[in-house]
Amino acid sequence: MTMDDSDPVWAALRLVAAVLSLAVLLLGVRVAVTRRFPVFWARAARLTERQRSQPLRRGGFLALCGASLLVQQVPFLAPVPVAVGRILFALALLLVVSAVGWFALLRR
């Protein structure tokens, strides 16, 4: 499937998924690098004191999940050979497993 599909609804949904995954990736990188949660996130989520002390853990998890979601959307947004699509799918699965491992193993 590519952006040349006849159904514009699926194309729009894929674009929205790609934009949201990019936003999650950027937010996760920002939290992990600055080691501070954005004010709107801390207020809206009502983070406990223990949760507020783990920005690297949560930011890295979000960044890896966002990267996985973004990699999954590439074959749908750009024409790629089947072999490359399979490799990207395997990479997305590896990123999800890495995200879970990051969250489970990193204790701060």
Side-chain angles (χ1 to χ4, degrees), residues 4-74:
D4 298 332
D5 288 341
S6 61
D7 191 9
V9 174
W10 281 111
L13 288 175
R14 288 185 184 115
L15 281 174
V16 168
V19 169
L20 288 177
S21 62
L22 184 62
V24 169
L25 173 67
L26 293 176
L27 179 66
V29 168
R30 179 181 179 263
V31 169
V33 169
T34 63
R35 296 187 182 206
R36 290 185 52 205
F37 291 109
V39 176
F40 70 88
W41 185 359
R43 285 184 187 159
R46 297 183 184 163
L47 298 174
T48 64
E49 184 63 35
R50 183 167 188 242
Q51 291 170 333
R52 275 185 258 137
S53 67
Q54 302 174 347
L56 182 64
R57 179 182 187 198
R58 294 180 185 275
F61 175 76
L62 275 179
L64 287 169
C65 285
S68 173
L69 292 170
L70 192 60
V71 167
Q72 287 176 5
Q73 294 303 315
V74 169

